[in-house]
Amino acid sequence: MSIKHTFKATVNWTINEGESTQNPRTFSRNHEVLIDNRKTPLHVSAAKIFRGDDALYNPEDLLLSALTSCHMMSYLYVCAQNNIEVVSYVDHAEGDLEVTQTGSGSFKSVRLKPVVTIKDASQKALALGLHEKANSLCFIANSCNFPIAHEATIRIA
């Protein structure tokens, strides 16, 4: 038996005075994303390479951050199940996006590079191996059609 959960997001974009959507070089890519109409709005744009505002989040940033955040939460969950005390978790994830000449594209791979600090040195091998279990539980990873590599480092506090 499975349980269905529905998540909601609203995107708001309005053309600025003097802009035209007939010229793909001139219209603003800046917009607002409201999650479930109750959380702080996200101010989003296209990535700088796609004529967006580099100071704002972009969809590619959000996909990568969703993936690394979901993996971390799944990892902390499996560590708790195995009585591993995690002191800190930092991930410097990277994703490779390929864009074709037609303008379409997709992520081809992501590398998660978590550095996890745990208390008990005797659990180091188990802590390292649990990244695979966390990946199998991660909702976002299970929704991706590209390979996700885990280049984890375990440190002892």
Side-chain angles (χ1 to χ4, degrees):
M1 181 176 135
S2 64
I3 300 170
K4 179 182 175 184
H5 300 279
T6 300
F7 294 84
K8 297 179 181 181
T10 301
V11 172
N12 288 323
W13 175 87
T14 304
I15 196 161
N16 292 324
E17 189 174 327
E19 291 180 340
S20 169
T21 56
Q22 293 179 340
N23 182 345
R25 295 184 186 275
T26 61
F27 68 87
S28 173
R29 272 72 170 157
N30 297 1
H31 56 283
E32 182 179 73
V33 176
L34 299 160
I35 306 297
D36 205 21
N37 288 323
R38 60 186 175 85
K39 297 177 183 171
T40 303
L42 289 173
H43 298 282
V44 181
S45 188
K48 183 178 181 180
I49 55 174
F50 305 117
R51 297 185 176 88
D53 183 340
D54 194 35
L56 300 178
Y57 297 110
N58 61 63
E60 296 80 10
D61 292 335
L62 298 175
L63 182 136
L64 188 59
S65 64
L67 182 56
T68 188
S69 178
C70 187
H71 180 81
M72 180 198 69
M73 289 185 285
S74 298
Y75 181 76
L76 294 175
Y77 171 74
V78 296
C79 283
Q81 286 183 316
N82 286 274
N83 297 311
I84 296 175
E85 190 172 350
V86 177
V87 176
S88 69
Y89 185 109
V90 177
D91 190 350
H92 298 284
E94 297 177 351
D96 297 317
L97 175 72
E98 285 187 16
V99 180
T100 68
Q101 289 180 339
T102 66
S104 72
S106 63
F107 274 87
K108 297 300 180 184
S109 66
V110 164
R111 290 163 309 286
L112 302 181
K113 301 177 178 186
V115 177
V116 182
T117 304
I118 63 172
K119 284 232 176 183
D120 186 347
S122 70
Q123 296 176 312
K124 187 173 183 176
L126 176 59
L128 188 60
L130 288 176
H131 282 283
E132 186 175 325
K133 176 68 175 172
N135 187 69
S136 73
L137 294 176
C138 175
F139 307 138
I140 305 300
N142 288 330
S143 303
C144 294
N145 67 350
F146 49 81
I148 302 165
H150 302 92
E151 301 171 9
T153 302
I154 305 296
R155 294 187 177 155
I156 309 305

